[in-house]
Amino acid sequence: MSIPIIIDTDPGQDDAIAIFLAIASPELNVIGLTTVAGNVPVRLTSLNARKICEVAGRPDIPVFAGAERPLLRHLVTAEEVHGRTGLDGPVLPDPQTPLQSEYAVDFIVRTLMDHPSGTVSLCTLGPLTNIGLALLREPRIASRIKQIVAMGGGYFEQGNITPAAEFNIFVDPHAARLVFECGTPITLIPLDCTHQALTTAKRVEAFRTMQNRCGPATAEMLDFFERFDENKYGTDGGPLHDPCVIAWLLQPTLFSGKLVNVSIECESELTMGATVVDWWHVTRRPRNATVIRSVDADGLFRLLAERISTLP
Ligand code: RIB
Ligand code: CA
């Protein structure tokens, strides 16, 4: 029985590779993609999501456009990392499939209310605005979501867009606070984990030499995406963030972490969006998330190569 998931995303090259992995994995049933403003505005993340599904041979996966901006703060985007289109690197054909007319937040609520309680998992790869809005619109979904697996935050590795905050949480800290306080089981995959998943030249070559279109497209996305972080961190390759979310669902034993409290800074401009992790349980705050701190990077890239090689 495949696991029904909704992927909430702001593609983004790393989002795209996460979506490739999900599509290539029969263990998962991708009910739909919901897009959010993040790396680039939602018009572009919605276009990119459809491009990705179509190049992966799945034009049937519905894409629903979501929030154009965070709950309270102004939108911050990341074209310097992802390029003007948000998916710079390969030239991918414009999508033939139209966007769904239903608003992403309504789709999330409807899907969770229509499916048996505790069956649908949310995989979030961008700012949590859509999930926050869905919780505000229908609080009952909190007890119906099987789990939320989210890429975001950083604690031991601190931040990537500010010294204190990781991009997805920084863009919409108020939505993140709603999510981390809603009571749904959460697995958080922060920079502490994803910084171990480096797109080294050898790993990228494995995609480039595949005899399909998704493998070389993955390599071309990584060629573009990794340059910003290689320059920043001085490493061979850059961190591959979002695919860790899907890989955790598929092979959780590649990862390790522990159940702790995660609280979101929403007051101080200096540390806005910081994920404050009570790793040593020094407070009595509720243990609301399993925070993943390590990944078997070779195992992760073996899984990615194995699955993406099966795509068109
Ligand atoms: O900080 C990394 C996260 O921000 C990833 O999800 C990347 O796609 C960007 O959205
Ligand atoms: Ca993302």
Side-chain angles (χ1 to χ4, degrees), residues 227-244:
R227 85 220 178 286
F228 184 88
D229 283 336
E230 277 187 321
N231 180 51
K232 178 177 177 182
Y233 298 116
T235 47
D236 173 13
L240 187 58
H241 307 289
D242 293 339
C244 290

Side-chain angles (χ1 to χ4, degrees), residues 10 14-15 39 82 125-126 151 160 166-168 191 241-242:
D10 64 335
D14 60 324
D15 302 66
N39 288 322
H82 297 270
L125 312 180
M151 190 280 140
N160 59 3
E166 176 277 330
F167 179 80
N168 287 341
L191 300 178
H241 307 289
D242 293 339

Side-chain angles (χ1 to χ4, degrees), residues 59-87:
D60 60 296
I61 294 178
V63 176
F64 302 82
E68 296 182 351
R69 49 151 300 174
L71 295 185
L72 298 178
R73 293 176 67 83
H74 295 298
L75 177 60
V76 171
T77 53
E79 286 85 351
E80 72 281 4
V81 178
H82 297 270
R84 187 183 50 76
T85 71
L87 209 53

